[in-house]
């Protein structure tokens, strides 16, 4: 089982708050290492290769103008999806947006959300792609 | 963010711009329990079994397509080589079985079903002879059935009698389907060292050591590799091999993911990923263009074989690293009619059958989708097949021949099949005869390479 950077960061923070004043860099390191080893070897937690994370990656491109993020995030909120991470850049006049969205609690499936997004893409004259996170994980992580 | 900006953009670029798709998800179904003395009962059993496992094949594949935003070009089915369970039937019965396969494929909504096959590298059973004889009728009376016959292997040698029979079958198929530019021959493959888990139709079948039902996946992606090579610029060959490997690694991983997901939906075991670069007639989806991007002026130029060998090897290495279930052909395909760049090279006179033959010695298949004049003698076709088999037998690799002696056509004509089968310019074949050689019949003994035990 792999542990993401984010999880290690969380563990570190937890260890620091628990140790309180006793926390020294060495001690925190030791505690975190122990916890990581424990999680790594926890039985019954082994995930299949194609474990479905329920997260999708949304990418949007286009000429920048007002209200793009507002529209997209509104649609995500309407679909009861949770934004887990978001990164946005303006390159010259081009707008690029990448979001990681958790759709596992949404009443809509990926296809329906995609249809919503296609409408927005047309309206705002941008391109919106949505793909399952698993695909990125499989292609870029071993 | 757990992924780099560049990684995300790369994936989007692959799927949206560079035509990366999964070429095929092929469901292999065993028909070994469909035997009955009565042909009508047999047909019903075959139909029922294919429908039982295959009826949701297209639906499941579409669901996975939607889930990952990745297109799956073809959904297909492969069955046990028909000659094996149904060995006791006669020619006309085999034609009936082919029609049943066709009907099942139509019902499921797939374009091809493969496995009208026989394995005769060492000799024939009576049923296998009957099946080979039935092939021209089966292929001309059905739309979706594909046939393949293995006539040679490194272990058994080359069955020249089988090659002669197959050359006749090819000619006859061309004649019987002359109204459609001899399209029957595009669905007929002659093999040496056939892999039993190849998901790529027309040469697919569900091998005898395979489980009851299995899902195999074939990936594509020449466009992705082409763009990677182009953006690598002027590097040396080692760096270029690295670029190819990195790219193929990623598309293989995507292929495995899709395969496993479709298999999961079916509730059947996942078999293999065939990491072949398979071109399509779409512009930019061409192996020829990759070879040109690697630096040869056109396919057929000196250096083409070396470039193809490197490409093929890099594809295999990347695939091995990316997936623990690599199988099938796994390499680069060089069909002529299905590849814009190949078609161009033939039309310009840059690529001949002889050069193609050399290229097949280093790539994953053989002379694929080659149209030749309709009056090419049967013995010459047998000679071409025998040459390919020799390359496969000696080098311990798969080779195949899918040749179309287009009825009534001459060098300079083209036959247009449309769709994935593409457009085939008629290629020139040597006028020299090999009749006295192939006419000897019998078997070319297995090479020393077969004695590995």
């Amino acid at each position: 089982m792999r542990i993401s950077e984010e999880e290690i960061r969380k563990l570190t923070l937890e260890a620091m708050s628990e140790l309180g004043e006793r926390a020294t860099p060495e001690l925190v390191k030791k505690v975190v290492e122990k916890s990581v080893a424990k999680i790594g070897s926890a039985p019954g937690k082994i995930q299949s290769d194609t474990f479905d994370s329920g997260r999708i990656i949304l990418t949007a491109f286009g000429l920048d103008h007002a209200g793009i993020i507002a529209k997209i995030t509104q649609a995500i909120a309407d679909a009861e999806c949770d934004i887990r991470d978001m990164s946005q850049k303006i390159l010259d006049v081009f707008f690029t947006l990448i979001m990681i969205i958790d759709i596992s609690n949404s009443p809509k499936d990926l296809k329906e959300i995609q249809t919503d997004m296609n409408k927005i893409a047309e309206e705002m004259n941008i391109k919106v792609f949505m793909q399952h996170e698993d695909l990125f994980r499989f292609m870029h992580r071993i | 963010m757990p992924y780099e900006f560049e990684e995300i953009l790369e994936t989007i670029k692959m799927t949206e711009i560079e035509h990366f798709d999964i070429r095929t998800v092929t469901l292999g179904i065993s028909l070994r329990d469909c035997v009955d003395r009565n042909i009508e009962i047999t047909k019903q059993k075959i139909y029922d079994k294919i429908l039982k496992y295959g009826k949701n094949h297209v639906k499941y594949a579409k669901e996975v397509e939607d889930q990952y935003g990745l297109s799956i070009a073809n959904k297909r089915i492969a069955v046990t080589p028909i000659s094996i369970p149904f060995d006791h039937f006669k020619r006309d019965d085999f034609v009936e079985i082919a029609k049943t396969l066709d009907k099942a494929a139509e019902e499921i909504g797939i374009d091809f079903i493969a496995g009208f096959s026989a394995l005769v590298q060492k000799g024939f059973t009576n049923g296998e002879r009957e099946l080979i004889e039935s092939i021209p009728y089966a292929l001309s009376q059905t739309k979706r059935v594909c046939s393949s016959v293995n006539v040679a292997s490194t272990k058994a040698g080359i069955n020249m009698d089988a090659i002669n029979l197959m050359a006749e079958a090819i000619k006859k198929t061309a004649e019987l389907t002359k109204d459609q530019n001899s399209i029957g021959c595009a669905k007929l493959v002659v093999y040496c060292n056939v892999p039993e888990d190849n998901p790529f139709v027309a040469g697919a079948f569900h091998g005898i050591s395979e489980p009851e039902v299995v899902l195999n996946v074939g990936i594509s992606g020449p466009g992705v590799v082409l763009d990677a090579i182009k953006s690598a610029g002027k590097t040396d060959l080692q760096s270029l091999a690295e670029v190819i490997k990195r790219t193929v690694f990623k598309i293989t991983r995507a292929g495995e993911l899709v395969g496993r997901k479709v298999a999961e939906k079916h509730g059947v075991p996942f078999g293999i990923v065939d990491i072949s670069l398979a071109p399509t007639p779409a512009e930019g989806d061409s192996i020829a263009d990759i070879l040109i991007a690697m630096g040869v002026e056109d396919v057929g130029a000196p250096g083409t074989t070396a470039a193809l060998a490197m490409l093929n090897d890099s594809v295999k290495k990347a695939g091995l690293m990316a997936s623990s279930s690599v199988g099938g052909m796994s390499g680069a395909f060089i069909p002529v009619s299905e590849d814009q760049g190949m078609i161009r090279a033939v039309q310009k006179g840059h690529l001949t059958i002889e050069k193609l033959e050399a290229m097949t010695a280093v790539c994953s298949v053989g002379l694929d989708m080659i149209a030749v004049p309709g009056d090419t003698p049967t013995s010459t076709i047998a000679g071409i097949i025998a040459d390919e088999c020799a390359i496969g037998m000696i080098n311990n690799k798969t080779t195949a021949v899918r040749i179309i002696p287009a009825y009534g056509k001459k060098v300079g004509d083209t036959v247009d099949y449309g769709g994935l089968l593409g457009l085939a310019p008629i290629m020139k074949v040597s006028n020299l005869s090999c009749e006295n050689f192939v006419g000897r019949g019998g078997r070319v003994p297995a090479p020393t390479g077969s004695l590995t035990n």
Side-chain angles (χ1 to χ4, degrees), chain B residues 9-29:
Chain B
L9 293 188
E10 188 186 6
T11 307
I12 304 278
K13 194 167 139 232
M14 278 184 186
T15 53
E16 301 299 327
I17 301 167
E18 297 167 342
H19 305 287
F20 169 53
D21 53 18
I22 303 301
R23 184 68 186 272
T24 178
V25 286
T26 304
L27 188 67
I29 303 173

Side-chain angles (χ1 to χ4, degrees), chain A residues 135 138-140, chain B residues 10-11 13-15 18-23 70 217-226 228 243-259 273-278 285 290 315 318-319 322-323 331:
Chain A
L135 182 66
F138 248 71
M139 284 171 83
H140 299 288
Chain B
E10 188 186 6
T11 307
K13 194 167 139 232
M14 278 184 186
T15 53
E18 297 167 342
H19 305 287
F20 169 53
D21 53 18
I22 303 301
R23 184 68 186 272
L70 201 61
V217 62
I219 62 164
S220 177
V224 183
V225 175
L226 175 64
V243 169
I244 299 169
K245 276 196 311 199
R246 261 205 304 275
T247 312
V248 173
F249 176 85
K250 285 170 192 162
I251 58 182
T252 308
R253 296 283 294 170
E256 174 154 345
L257 172 68
V258 165
V273 194
D274 189 324
I275 44 168
S276 292
L277 291 183
D285 217 11
I290 295 180
V315 167
S323 167

Side-chain angles (χ1 to χ4, degrees), chain B residues 185-405:
Chain B
C185 298
K187 299 180 283 178
L188 177 55
V189 188
V190 186
Y191 269 115
C192 169
N193 286 330
V194 67
E196 300 210 340
D197 49 10
N198 159 34
F200 286 99
V201 169
F205 63 79
H206 184 73
I208 47 169
S209 53
E210 296 286 312
E212 177 78 0
V213 52
V214 71
L215 191 113
N216 296 323
V217 62
I219 62 164
S220 177
V224 183
V225 175
L226 175 64
D227 277 17
I229 290 175
K230 276 186 182 161
S231 54
K234 231 177 142 43
T235 59
D236 71 357
L237 292 172
Q238 267 154 314
S239 320
L240 195 62
E242 275 304 310
V243 169
I244 299 169
K245 276 196 311 199
R246 261 205 304 275
T247 312
V248 173
F249 176 85
K250 285 170 192 162
I251 58 182
T252 308
R253 296 283 294 170
E256 174 154 345
L257 172 68
V258 165
R260 284 190 187 281
K261 280 290 171 190
V262 178
E264 226 169 74
K265 280 192 188 280
H266 273 289
V268 306
F270 173 66
I272 56 105
V273 194
D274 189 324
I275 44 168
S276 292
L277 291 183
T280 68
E283 196 62 55
D285 217 11
S286 154
I287 300 295
D289 288 351
I290 295 180
L291 298 172
I292 292 168
M294 285 173 83
V296 296
E297 188 181 341
D298 198 357
V299 181
T304 306
T305 311
L308 181 63
M310 186 181 128
L311 174 67
N312 199 54
D313 185 57
S314 307
V315 167
K316 282 188 204 296
K317 283 174 180 161
L320 281 175
M321 175 77 186
S323 167
S324 50
S325 31
V326 176
M329 312 274 197
S330 289
F333 287 3
I334 50 168
V336 172
S337 76
E338 299 171 1
D339 186 319
Q340 286 290 345
M342 289 284 186
I343 297 169
R344 245 184 349 249
V346 171
Q347 283 171 337
K348 284 186 188 162
H350 295 165
L351 183 61
T352 59
I353 287 196
E354 288 72 21
K355 183 65 181 174
L356 265 173
E357 185 184 312
M359 289 162 72
T360 64
V362 299
C363 80
S364 64
V365 269
L367 292 173
D368 196 14
M369 288 302 284
I370 313 260
V372 296
D375 59 3
T376 309
T378 308
S379 59
T380 300
I381 291 176
I384 292 172
I385 298 172
D387 282 345
E388 272 306 303
C389 289
I391 291 173
M393 175 182 78
I394 298 292
N395 296 306
N396 213 348
K397 72 186 282 296
T398 301
T399 47
V401 176
R402 186 157 49 141
I403 191 167
I404 306 158

Side-chain angles (χ1 to χ4, degrees), chain B residues 381-447:
Chain B
I381 291 176
I384 292 172
I385 298 172
D387 282 345
E388 272 306 303
C389 289
I391 291 173
M393 175 182 78
I394 298 292
N395 296 306
N396 213 348
K397 72 186 282 296
T398 301
T399 47
V401 176
R402 186 157 49 141
I403 191 167
I404 306 158
Y407 194 86
K409 303 279 180 183
K410 298 183 299 294
V411 176
D413 295 343
T414 49
V415 284
D416 189 355
Y417 299 113
L420 274 177
L421 295 175
L423 178 136
I426 309 289
M427 297 180 80
K428 189 177 175 305
V429 179
S430 168
N431 289 327
L432 300 175
S433 167
C434 61
E435 200 175 350
N436 292 338
F437 174 66
V438 297
R440 286 173 187 265
R443 195 155 53 85
V444 177

